Amino acid sequence: MTSQQHWLIRVRDGDNFRNSKYPVWGVKAHNKPIIDNRFKKGDVLWFLTAKDYGGKLIGVAEYTHHYDRDEEPLLLINTYSNEEQNWRGQDNWSIQIHYKNLYITEKQKNKAVIQCPATIMDYETFKDKIIPDLYFHYSNFKYYAEPKKF
């Protein structure tokens, strides 16, 4: 185990995640208490497609901070609109999670099918049900790979 907390974050089919112009992912407002109370700078975020799309781990990054789009009602300064971020749909992804050092992990074909309706999940809770050792994979990405440039 590492000192960094590892989190799994669902990204539906992954298209909006792949199309993101900035190192930011959006989740709905009901996820804010988890992020406010449990996320710490440097935590590791694993981006996971939904079961219908293969349950693949498609990216990993380090959490830096987050903003609530709803707290910027007149002018978006710290957050992006769906259009600015190149996301399809009109969903209100009001909590915007900022990260750095994104590694695209799709080529490794690591799968994780989890029976849980949550969008954000603590890896520790599910690590025995997931085949890949994400601590091991993360240390290798940090050593061998280059992060994506935005």
mmCIF file with all atom_site columns, all heavy atoms in Angstrom, residues 43-59:
data_model
loop_
_atom_site.group_PDB
_atom_site.id
_atom_site.type_symbol
_atom_site.label_atom_id
_atom_site.label_alt_id
_atom_site.label_comp_id
_atom_site.label_asym_id
_atom_site.label_entity_id
_atom_site.label_seq_id
_atom_site.pdbx_PDB_ins_code
_atom_site.Cartn_x
_atom_site.Cartn_y
_atom_site.Cartn_z
_atom_site.occupancy
_atom_site.B_iso_or_equiv
_atom_site.pdbx_formal_charge
_atom_site.auth_seq_id
_atom_site.auth_comp_id
_atom_site.auth_asym_id
_atom_site.auth_atom_id
_atom_site.pdbx_PDB_model_num
ATOM 1   N N   . ASP A 1 43 ? -3.568  12.320 -4.325  1.00 0.00 ? 43 ASP A N   1
ATOM 2   C CA  . ASP A 1 43 ? -4.268  11.036 -4.431  1.00 0.00 ? 43 ASP A CA  1
ATOM 3   C C   . ASP A 1 43 ? -4.300  10.593 -5.886  1.00 0.00 ? 43 ASP A C   1
ATOM 4   O O   . ASP A 1 43 ? -4.247  11.419 -6.803  1.00 0.00 ? 43 ASP A O   1
ATOM 5   C CB  . ASP A 1 43 ? -5.700  11.138 -3.895  1.00 0.00 ? 43 ASP A CB  1
ATOM 6   C CG  . ASP A 1 43 ? -5.775  11.037 -2.380  1.00 0.00 ? 43 ASP A CG  1
ATOM 7   O OD1 . ASP A 1 43 ? -4.734  10.833 -1.720  1.00 0.00 ? 43 ASP A OD1 1
ATOM 8   O OD2 . ASP A 1 43 ? -6.900  11.173 -1.850  1.00 0.00 ? 43 ASP A OD2 1
ATOM 9   N N   . VAL A 1 44 ? -4.406  9.299  -6.099  1.00 0.00 ? 44 VAL A N   1
ATOM 10  C CA  . VAL A 1 44 ? -4.362  8.722  -7.449  1.00 0.00 ? 44 VAL A CA  1
ATOM 11  C C   . VAL A 1 44 ? -5.789  8.441  -7.915  1.00 0.00 ? 44 VAL A C   1
ATOM 12  O O   . VAL A 1 44 ? -6.570  7.808  -7.209  1.00 0.00 ? 44 VAL A O   1
ATOM 13  C CB  . VAL A 1 44 ? -3.516  7.431  -7.460  1.00 0.00 ? 44 VAL A CB  1
ATOM 14  C CG1 . VAL A 1 44 ? -3.498  6.808  -8.850  1.00 0.00 ? 44 VAL A CG1 1
ATOM 15  C CG2 . VAL A 1 44 ? -2.101  7.731  -6.973  1.00 0.00 ? 44 VAL A CG2 1
ATOM 16  N N   . LEU A 1 45 ? -6.103  8.928  -9.110  1.00 0.00 ? 45 LEU A N   1
ATOM 17  C CA  . LEU A 1 45 ? -7.423  8.763  -9.711  1.00 0.00 ? 45 LEU A CA  1
ATOM 18  C C   . LEU A 1 45 ? -7.330  7.794  -10.880 1.00 0.00 ? 45 LEU A C   1
ATOM 19  O O   . LEU A 1 45 ? -6.567  8.035  -11.817 1.00 0.00 ? 45 LEU A O   1
ATOM 20  C CB  . LEU A 1 45 ? -7.949  10.121 -10.209 1.00 0.00 ? 45 LEU A CB  1
ATOM 21  C CG  . LEU A 1 45 ? -7.878  11.287 -9.231  1.00 0.00 ? 45 LEU A CG  1
ATOM 22  C CD1 . LEU A 1 45 ? -8.337  12.563 -9.919  1.00 0.00 ? 45 LEU A CD1 1
ATOM 23  C CD2 . LEU A 1 45 ? -8.709  10.992 -7.995  1.00 0.00 ? 45 LEU A CD2 1
ATOM 24  N N   . TRP A 1 46 ? -8.091  6.718  -10.819 1.00 0.00 ? 46 TRP A N   1
ATOM 25  C CA  . TRP A 1 46 ? -8.180  5.747  -11.915 1.00 0.00 ? 46 TRP A CA  1
ATOM 26  C C   . TRP A 1 46 ? -9.511  5.955  -12.603 1.00 0.00 ? 46 TRP A C   1
ATOM 27  O O   . TRP A 1 46 ? -10.554 5.912  -11.945 1.00 0.00 ? 46 TRP A O   1
ATOM 28  C CB  . TRP A 1 46 ? -8.083  4.324  -11.380 1.00 0.00 ? 46 TRP A CB  1
ATOM 29  C CG  . TRP A 1 46 ? -6.718  3.963  -10.903 1.00 0.00 ? 46 TRP A CG  1
ATOM 30  C CD1 . TRP A 1 46 ? -6.218  4.113  -9.647  1.00 0.00 ? 46 TRP A CD1 1
ATOM 31  C CD2 . TRP A 1 46 ? -5.671  3.402  -11.682 1.00 0.00 ? 46 TRP A CD2 1
ATOM 32  N NE1 . TRP A 1 46 ? -4.929  3.671  -9.595  1.00 0.00 ? 46 TRP A NE1 1
ATOM 33  C CE2 . TRP A 1 46 ? -4.558  3.222  -10.840 1.00 0.00 ? 46 TRP A CE2 1
ATOM 34  C CE3 . TRP A 1 46 ? -5.556  3.022  -13.029 1.00 0.00 ? 46 TRP A CE3 1
ATOM 35  C CZ2 . TRP A 1 46 ? -3.357  2.692  -11.279 1.00 0.00 ? 46 TRP A CZ2 1
ATOM 36  C CZ3 . TRP A 1 46 ? -4.366  2.482  -13.464 1.00 0.00 ? 46 TRP A CZ3 1
ATOM 37  C CH2 . TRP A 1 46 ? -3.284  2.334  -12.607 1.00 0.00 ? 46 TRP A CH2 1
ATOM 38  N N   . PHE A 1 47 ? -9.502  6.190  -13.900 1.00 0.00 ? 47 PHE A N   1
ATOM 39  C CA  . PHE A 1 47 ? -10.716 6.451  -14.656 1.00 0.00 ? 47 PHE A CA  1
ATOM 40  C C   . PHE A 1 47 ? -11.169 5.147  -15.308 1.00 0.00 ? 47 PHE A C   1
ATOM 41  O O   . PHE A 1 47 ? -10.412 4.505  -16.039 1.00 0.00 ? 47 PHE A O   1
ATOM 42  C CB  . PHE A 1 47 ? -10.464 7.563  -15.667 1.00 0.00 ? 47 PHE A CB  1
ATOM 43  C CG  . PHE A 1 47 ? -10.063 8.848  -14.986 1.00 0.00 ? 47 PHE A CG  1
ATOM 44  C CD1 . PHE A 1 47 ? -8.731  9.205  -14.864 1.00 0.00 ? 47 PHE A CD1 1
ATOM 45  C CD2 . PHE A 1 47 ? -11.021 9.675  -14.432 1.00 0.00 ? 47 PHE A CD2 1
ATOM 46  C CE1 . PHE A 1 47 ? -8.355  10.373 -14.211 1.00 0.00 ? 47 PHE A CE1 1
ATOM 47  C CE2 . PHE A 1 47 ? -10.664 10.853 -13.770 1.00 0.00 ? 47 PHE A CE2 1
ATOM 48  C CZ  . PHE A 1 47 ? -9.329  11.196 -13.662 1.00 0.00 ? 47 PHE A CZ  1
ATOM 49  N N   . LEU A 1 48 ? -12.414 4.776  -15.019 1.00 0.00 ? 48 LEU A N   1
ATOM 50  C CA  . LEU A 1 48 ? -12.952 3.462  -15.341 1.00 0.00 ? 48 LEU A CA  1
ATOM 51  C C   . LEU A 1 48 ? -14.218 3.587  -16.185 1.00 0.00 ? 48 LEU A C   1
ATOM 52  O O   . LEU A 1 48 ? -15.155 4.283  -15.775 1.00 0.00 ? 48 LEU A O   1
ATOM 53  C CB  . LEU A 1 48 ? -13.272 2.744  -14.024 1.00 0.00 ? 48 LEU A CB  1
ATOM 54  C CG  . LEU A 1 48 ? -14.014 1.430  -14.043 1.00 0.00 ? 48 LEU A CG  1
ATOM 55  C CD1 . LEU A 1 48 ? -13.143 0.340  -14.659 1.00 0.00 ? 48 LEU A CD1 1
ATOM 56  C CD2 . LEU A 1 48 ? -14.423 1.047  -12.622 1.00 0.00 ? 48 LEU A CD2 1
ATOM 57  N N   . THR A 1 49 ? -14.246 2.914  -17.331 1.00 0.00 ? 49 THR A N   1
ATOM 58  C CA  . THR A 1 49 ? -15.479 2.911  -18.126 1.00 0.00 ? 49 THR A CA  1
ATOM 59  C C   . THR A 1 49 ? -16.509 2.018  -17.438 1.00 0.00 ? 49 THR A C   1
ATOM 60  O O   . THR A 1 49 ? -16.165 1.130  -16.669 1.00 0.00 ? 49 THR A O   1
ATOM 61  C CB  . THR A 1 49 ? -15.244 2.407  -19.574 1.00 0.00 ? 49 THR A CB  1
ATOM 62  O OG1 . THR A 1 49 ? -14.765 1.071  -19.539 1.00 0.00 ? 49 THR A OG1 1
ATOM 63  C CG2 . THR A 1 49 ? -14.289 3.307  -20.336 1.00 0.00 ? 49 THR A CG2 1
ATOM 64  N N   . ALA A 1 50 ? -17.767 2.251  -17.763 1.00 0.00 ? 50 ALA A N   1
ATOM 65  C CA  . ALA A 1 50 ? -18.849 1.453  -17.190 1.00 0.00 ? 50 ALA A CA  1
ATOM 66  C C   . ALA A 1 50 ? -18.789 0.024  -17.724 1.00 0.00 ? 50 ALA A C   1
ATOM 67  O O   . ALA A 1 50 ? -18.193 -0.247 -18.774 1.00 0.00 ? 50 ALA A O   1
ATOM 68  C CB  . ALA A 1 50 ? -20.193 2.094  -17.528 1.00 0.00 ? 50 ALA A CB  1
ATOM 69  N N   . LYS A 1 51 ? -19.429 -0.865 -17.006 1.00 0.00 ? 51 LYS A N   1
ATOM 70  C CA  . LYS A 1 51 ? -19.461 -2.281 -17.369 1.00 0.00 ? 51 LYS A CA  1
ATOM 71  C C   . LYS A 1 51 ? -19.918 -2.487 -18.819 1.00 0.00 ? 51 LYS A C   1
ATOM 72  O O   . LYS A 1 51 ? -19.352 -3.294 -19.552 1.00 0.00 ? 51 LYS A O   1
ATOM 73  C CB  . LYS A 1 51 ? -20.396 -3.018 -16.414 1.00 0.00 ? 51 LYS A CB  1
ATOM 74  C CG  . LYS A 1 51 ? -20.547 -4.481 -16.668 1.00 0.00 ? 51 LYS A CG  1
ATOM 75  C CD  . LYS A 1 51 ? -21.493 -5.090 -15.639 1.00 0.00 ? 51 LYS A CD  1
ATOM 76  C CE  . LYS A 1 51 ? -21.839 -6.503 -15.970 1.00 0.00 ? 51 LYS A CE  1
ATOM 77  N NZ  . LYS A 1 51 ? -22.797 -7.052 -15.009 1.00 0.00 ? 51 LYS A NZ  1
ATOM 78  N N   . ASP A 1 52 ? -20.935 -1.730 -19.243 1.00 0.00 ? 52 ASP A N   1
ATOM 79  C CA  . ASP A 1 52 ? -21.442 -1.839 -20.619 1.00 0.00 ? 52 ASP A CA  1
ATOM 80  C C   . ASP A 1 52 ? -20.370 -1.539 -21.661 1.00 0.00 ? 52 ASP A C   1
ATOM 81  O O   . ASP A 1 52 ? -20.490 -1.935 -22.815 1.00 0.00 ? 52 ASP A O   1
ATOM 82  C CB  . ASP A 1 52 ? -22.614 -0.879 -20.837 1.00 0.00 ? 52 ASP A CB  1
ATOM 83  C CG  . ASP A 1 52 ? -23.813 -1.231 -19.968 1.00 0.00 ? 52 ASP A CG  1
ATOM 84  O OD1 . ASP A 1 52 ? -23.832 -2.335 -19.391 1.00 0.00 ? 52 ASP A OD1 1
ATOM 85  O OD2 . ASP A 1 52 ? -24.731 -0.400 -19.870 1.00 0.00 ? 52 ASP A OD2 1
ATOM 86  N N   . TYR A 1 53 ? -19.330 -0.813 -21.265 1.00 0.00 ? 53 TYR A N   1
ATOM 87  C CA  . TYR A 1 53 ? -18.263 -0.432 -22.194 1.00 0.00 ? 53 TYR A CA  1
ATOM 88  C C   . TYR A 1 53 ? -16.967 -1.166 -21.863 1.00 0.00 ? 53 TYR A C   1
ATOM 89  O O   . TYR A 1 53 ? -15.876 -0.707 -22.171 1.00 0.00 ? 53 TYR A O   1
ATOM 90  C CB  . TYR A 1 53 ? -18.069 1.087  -22.175 1.00 0.00 ? 53 TYR A CB  1
ATOM 91  C CG  . TYR A 1 53 ? -19.349 1.797  -22.523 1.00 0.00 ? 53 TYR A CG  1
ATOM 92  C CD1 . TYR A 1 53 ? -20.169 2.311  -21.533 1.00 0.00 ? 53 TYR A CD1 1
ATOM 93  C CD2 . TYR A 1 53 ? -19.763 1.895  -23.844 1.00 0.00 ? 53 TYR A CD2 1
ATOM 94  C CE1 . TYR A 1 53 ? -21.368 2.932  -21.846 1.00 0.00 ? 53 TYR A CE1 1
ATOM 95  C CE2 . TYR A 1 53 ? -20.959 2.507  -24.171 1.00 0.00 ? 53 TYR A CE2 1
ATOM 96  C CZ  . TYR A 1 53 ? -21.757 3.023  -23.161 1.00 0.00 ? 53 TYR A CZ  1
ATOM 97  O OH  . TYR A 1 53 ? -22.946 3.629  -23.480 1.00 0.00 ? 53 TYR A OH  1
ATOM 98  N N   . GLY A 1 54 ? -17.077 -2.293 -21.206 1.00 0.00 ? 54 GLY A N   1
ATOM 99  C CA  . GLY A 1 54 ? -15.929 -3.152 -20.958 1.00 0.00 ? 54 GLY A CA  1
ATOM 100 C C   . GLY A 1 54 ? -15.320 -3.044 -19.579 1.00 0.00 ? 54 GLY A C   1
ATOM 101 O O   . GLY A 1 54 ? -14.436 -3.814 -19.244 1.00 0.00 ? 54 GLY A O   1
ATOM 102 N N   . GLY A 1 55 ? -15.733 -2.056 -18.785 1.00 0.00 ? 55 GLY A N   1
ATOM 103 C CA  . GLY A 1 55 ? -15.135 -1.893 -17.465 1.00 0.00 ? 55 GLY A CA  1
ATOM 104 C C   . GLY A 1 55 ? -13.626 -1.785 -17.544 1.00 0.00 ? 55 GLY A C   1
ATOM 105 O O   . GLY A 1 55 ? -12.899 -2.441 -16.813 1.00 0.00 ? 55 GLY A O   1
ATOM 106 N N   . LYS A 1 56 ? -13.139 -0.914 -18.429 1.00 0.00 ? 56 LYS A N   1
ATOM 107 C CA  . LYS A 1 56 ? -11.697 -0.774 -18.655 1.00 0.00 ? 56 LYS A CA  1
ATOM 108 C C   . LYS A 1 56 ? -11.140 0.425  -17.900 1.00 0.00 ? 56 LYS A C   1
ATOM 109 O O   . LYS A 1 56 ? -11.778 1.478  -17.826 1.00 0.00 ? 56 LYS A O   1
ATOM 110 C CB  . LYS A 1 56 ? -11.403 -0.591 -20.144 1.00 0.00 ? 56 LYS A CB  1
ATOM 111 C CG  . LYS A 1 56 ? -11.728 -1.800 -20.987 1.00 0.00 ? 56 LYS A CG  1
ATOM 112 C CD  . LYS A 1 56 ? -11.352 -1.574 -22.429 1.00 0.00 ? 56 LYS A CD  1
ATOM 113 C CE  . LYS A 1 56 ? -12.473 -0.828 -23.106 1.00 0.00 ? 56 LYS A CE  1
ATOM 114 N NZ  . LYS A 1 56 ? -12.312 -0.639 -24.516 1.00 0.00 ? 56 LYS A NZ  1
ATOM 115 N N   . LEU A 1 57 ? -9.934  0.263  -17.368 1.00 0.00 ? 57 LEU A N   1
ATOM 116 C CA  . LEU A 1 57 ? -9.215  1.378  -16.766 1.00 0.00 ? 57 LEU A CA  1
ATOM 117 C C   . LEU A 1 57 ? -8.521  2.112  -17.907 1.00 0.00 ? 57 LEU A C   1
ATOM 118 O O   . LEU A 1 57 ? -7.598  1.582  -18.520 1.00 0.00 ? 57 LEU A O   1
ATOM 119 C CB  . LEU A 1 57 ? -8.214  0.855  -15.744 1.00 0.00 ? 57 LEU A CB  1
ATOM 120 C CG  . LEU A 1 57 ? -8.886  0.196  -14.537 1.00 0.00 ? 57 LEU A CG  1
ATOM 121 C CD1 . LEU A 1 57 ? -7.944  -0.752 -13.840 1.00 0.00 ? 57 LEU A CD1 1
ATOM 122 C CD2 . LEU A 1 57 ? -9.415  1.245  -13.590 1.00 0.00 ? 57 LEU A CD2 1
ATOM 123 N N   . ILE A 1 58 ? -8.992  3.321  -18.200 1.00 0.00 ? 58 ILE A N   1
ATOM 124 C CA  . ILE A 1 58 ? -8.500  4.011  -19.393 1.00 0.00 ? 58 ILE A CA  1
ATOM 125 C C   . ILE A 1 58 ? -7.535  5.154  -19.091 1.00 0.00 ? 58 ILE A C   1
ATOM 126 O O   . ILE A 1 58 ? -6.932  5.709  -20.001 1.00 0.00 ? 58 ILE A O   1
ATOM 127 C CB  . ILE A 1 58 ? -9.661  4.520  -20.276 1.00 0.00 ? 58 ILE A CB  1
ATOM 128 C CG1 . ILE A 1 58 ? -10.514 5.550  -19.555 1.00 0.00 ? 58 ILE A CG1 1
ATOM 129 C CG2 . ILE A 1 58 ? -10.498 3.333  -20.763 1.00 0.00 ? 58 ILE A CG2 1
ATOM 130 C CD1 . ILE A 1 58 ? -11.551 6.225  -20.459 1.00 0.00 ? 58 ILE A CD1 1
ATOM 131 N N   . GLY A 1 59 ? -7.374  5.509  -17.828 1.00 0.00 ? 59 GLY A N   1
ATOM 132 C CA  . GLY A 1 59 ? -6.442  6.570  -17.483 1.00 0.00 ? 59 GLY A CA  1
ATOM 133 C C   . GLY A 1 59 ? -6.169  6.598  -15.994 1.00 0.00 ? 59 GLY A C   1
ATOM 134 O O   . GLY A 1 59 ? -6.971  6.124  -15.193 1.00 0.00 ? 59 GLY A O   1
#
